[in-house]
């Protein structure tokens, strides 16, 4: 009888393990030494990775609503200051970060109320530049980096209405990076063609679904031209797909989700060589996975639970099985969720990780050089960034 019970227990263990996504049992994150990392600004809204001092180590750029008079004693940080701020957190490749302070250069002033931030080399000088979106005044701001954690040549670009997200790509195939923004009020995207020096044309607008909140760029139909997918805050046409023609034009279609997506990412989730879409849906407390057919069209969505009030997400192979997984930010809880992919585009909630108060954004990178993707989470109410190292 005892032998039978032991055998039965062993079979149950094998069965339960087989039902887990590959590697689920080894998902393990720990908070990095020195985490959370305070920023000298109030209400962080978005976060991105870059190398702002060209030392080969990952740094972080955090966009916040305004300066903090109690901690930032510079003269231009007055009680009435309303300018947004970008804090540069310099990494040391061990998982530690600290705000760049020589001469108190960081945080850097930008336009009001930043909603999103992107890092890219817009002028081809080998240094990372910053692009931020500002919905309150319908601006996209560009700050050019000099590779020494300093920024200059601020450019303010007006778009059609309330940009909530930005991205870059070469949409007219001239070898120079362009900027696109998702404009919530205009129900469109704005395309600003770059000249390769950090200057941009007057925007051209393309209608998408109602209230675009986020966007992502990739070649969705394998024609060599960058395409765009937007997450719209409507239930009828929740995703818009814009297939680029390589000349700055787009063929636009829409996909109904029946829920309200707040974030969108692109990856090959089922390993078939065709790019897929994933959205984080605030109303459904889930993510939608839409498998691509390789021609710019997608299969019906499959939904997977993803925490409470998901507002942001990012992609990374968190368990080392070769399949892209998801990290999802819960906007109404102090946590992020790791969703593991079983390799076929189906996801299981593997673990929930505690972060700071009211997280707003997440960035993925190998912060300690061990070859595993780590997490940096911007926390709006605690005015800091949580660094989680993948073990």
């Amino acid at each position: 009888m005892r032998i039978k019970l032991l055998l039965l227990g062993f079979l149950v263990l094998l069965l339960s393990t087989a039902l887990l996504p590959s590697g689920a049992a080894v998902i393990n994150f720990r908070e990095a030494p020195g985490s959370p990392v305070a920023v000298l600004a109030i209400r962080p809204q978005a976060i991105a990775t870059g190398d702002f001092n060209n030392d080969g180590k990952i740094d972080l750029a955090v966009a916040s609503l305004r300066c903090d008079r109690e901690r930032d004693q510079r003269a231009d940080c007055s009680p009435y200051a309303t300018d947004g701020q970008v804090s540069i957190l310099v990494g040391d490749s061990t998982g530690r970060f600290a705000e760049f302070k020589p001469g108190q250069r960081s945080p850097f002033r930008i336009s009001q109320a930043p909603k999103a931030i992107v890092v890219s080399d817009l002028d081809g000088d080998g240094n990372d530049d910053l692009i931020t979106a500002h919905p309150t005044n319908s601006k996209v701001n560009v700050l050019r980096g000099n590779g020494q954690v300093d920024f200059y040549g601020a450019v303010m670009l007006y778009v059609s209405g309330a940009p909530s997200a930005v991205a870059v790509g070469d949409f007219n195939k001239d070898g120079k990076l362009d900027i696109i923004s998702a404009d919530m009020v205009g129900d469109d995207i704005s395309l600003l063609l770059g000249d390769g020096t950090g200057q941009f044309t007057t925007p051209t607008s393309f209608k998408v679904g109602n209230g675009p909140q986020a966007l992502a760029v990739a070649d969705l139909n394998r024609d060599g031209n960058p395409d765009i997918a937007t997450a719209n805050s409507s239930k009828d046409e929740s995703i818009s797909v814009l297939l680029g023609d390589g000349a700055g034009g787009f063929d636009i279609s829409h996909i109904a989700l029946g829920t309200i997506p707040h974030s969108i990412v692109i990856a090959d989730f089922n390993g078939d060589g065709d790019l897929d879409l994933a959205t984080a849906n605030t109303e459904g407390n889930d993510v939608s996975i839409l498998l691509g057919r390789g021609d710019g069209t997608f299969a019906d969505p499959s939904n997977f639970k993803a925490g409470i009030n998901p507002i942001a997400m990012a992609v990374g192979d968190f368990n080392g099985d070769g399949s892209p997984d998801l990290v999802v930010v819960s906007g109404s809880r102090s946590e992020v969720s790791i969703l593991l992919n079983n390799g076929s585009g189906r996801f299981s909630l593997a673990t929930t990780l505690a972060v700071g108060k009211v997280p707003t954004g997440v960035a993925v990178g190998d912060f300690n050089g061990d070859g595993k993707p780590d997490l940096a989470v911007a926390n709006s109410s605690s005015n800091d960034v949580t660094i989680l190292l993948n073990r």
Side-chain angles (χ1 to χ4, degrees):
M1 177 64 71
R2 184 177 180 181
I3 294 175
K4 289 182 178 180
L5 289 174
L6 287 173
L7 288 173
L8 179 61
F10 181 67
L11 289 173
V12 170
L13 178 61
L14 286 176
L15 180 60
S16 62
T17 302
L19 292 175
L20 289 171
S22 176
V26 299
I27 284 293
N28 185 11
F29 284 80
R30 63 178 174 86
E31 199 160 352
S35 175
V37 184
V39 296
L40 293 179
I42 292 175
R43 303 294 187 196
Q45 299 296 300
I47 188 168
T49 61
D51 181 6
F52 303 109
N53 55 359
N54 288 335
D55 64 353
K57 303 170 185 176
I58 296 178
D59 308 314
L60 299 170
V62 184
S64 301
L65 287 184
R66 60 186 184 276
C67 65
D68 185 348
R69 188 70 184 92
E70 293 184 2
R71 294 181 296 158
D72 187 347
Q73 299 302 313
R74 290 177 293 182
D76 61 353
C77 186
S78 72
Y80 309 103
T82 59
D83 288 336
Q85 307 284 312
V86 172
S87 295
I88 301 299
L89 307 182
V90 178
D92 67 358
S93 79
T94 71
R96 290 181 180 271
F97 292 86
E99 186 149 7
F100 179 73
K101 293 183 181 179
Q104 192 67 53
R105 305 304 298 276
S106 176
F108 298 90
R109 293 174 59 189
I110 52 175
S111 192
Q112 293 181 356
K115 179 71 172 177
I117 187 167
V118 169
V119 176
S120 184
D121 180 7
L122 296 174
D123 53 7
D125 64 354
N127 302 317
D128 282 336
D129 308 313
L130 301 174
I131 310 103
T132 53
H134 304 265
T136 59
N137 54 17
S138 296
K139 291 180 183 177
V140 171
N141 277 196
V142 174
L143 283 173
R144 292 164 64 188
N146 66 359
Q148 301 175 25
V149 201
D150 201 0
F151 297 89
Y152 65 98
V155 176
M156 291 185 293
L157 306 167
Y158 287 90
V159 295
S160 63
S164 60
V166 286
V168 297
D170 182 7
F171 297 103
N172 61 349
K173 302 299 290 292
D174 64 353
K176 302 164 186 176
L177 287 176
D178 312 310
I179 295 175
I180 54 169
S181 67
D183 307 325
M184 291 185 293
V185 173
D187 296 336
D188 58 25
I189 67 157
S190 292
L191 170 64
L192 302 101
L193 298 177
D195 66 0
T197 70
Q199 301 295 318
F200 296 85
T201 62
T202 301
T204 302
S205 297
F206 300 88
K207 282 294 180 183
V208 293
N210 181 31
Q213 293 277 347
L215 49 75
V217 175
D219 182 4
L220 297 173
N221 59 352
R222 298 195 289 185
D223 65 352
N225 301 319
D227 308 312
I228 304 168
T230 68
N232 312 314
S233 58
S234 65
K235 292 185 177 181
D236 296 328
E237 295 175 343
S238 298
I239 297 176
S240 296
V241 176
L242 298 89
L243 299 180
D245 62 7
F250 299 92
D251 180 22
I252 304 172
S253 60
H254 308 283
I255 302 172
L257 282 185
T259 187
I260 299 176
H262 203 278
S263 180
I264 190 165
V265 295
I266 299 173
D268 181 6
F269 293 117
N270 62 347
D272 64 353
D274 298 324
L275 290 176
D276 312 311
L277 305 177
T279 64
N281 309 313
T282 55
E283 185 174 86
N285 295 327
D286 57 15
V287 299
S288 293
I289 305 298
L290 296 90
L291 299 179
R293 301 187 178 100
D295 59 358
T297 66
F298 297 85
D300 291 338
S302 299
N303 297 328
F304 306 93
K305 287 300 179 183
I308 303 299
N309 188 29
I311 61 169
M313 65 178 172
V315 176
D317 181 7
F318 299 117
N319 58 352
D321 66 352
S323 297
D325 308 309
L326 295 171
V327 54
V328 184
V329 175
S330 292
S332 60
R333 289 189 178 180
S334 300
E335 62 187 30
V336 298
S337 299
I338 303 293
L339 278 71
L340 290 183
N341 180 5
N342 70 357
S344 66
R346 302 194 65 81
F347 290 78
S348 295
L349 182 59
T351 189
T352 299
L353 307 170
V355 295
K357 295 179 180 178
V358 190
T360 53
V362 60
V364 176
D366 181 7
F367 302 138
N368 60 349
D370 64 354
K372 303 178 181 67
D374 309 310
L375 306 176
V377 182
N379 306 305
S380 178
S381 286
S382 50
N383 301 323
D384 56 23
V385 174
T386 301
I387 307 297
L388 296 168
L389 299 180
N390 185 351
R391 303 179 68 181

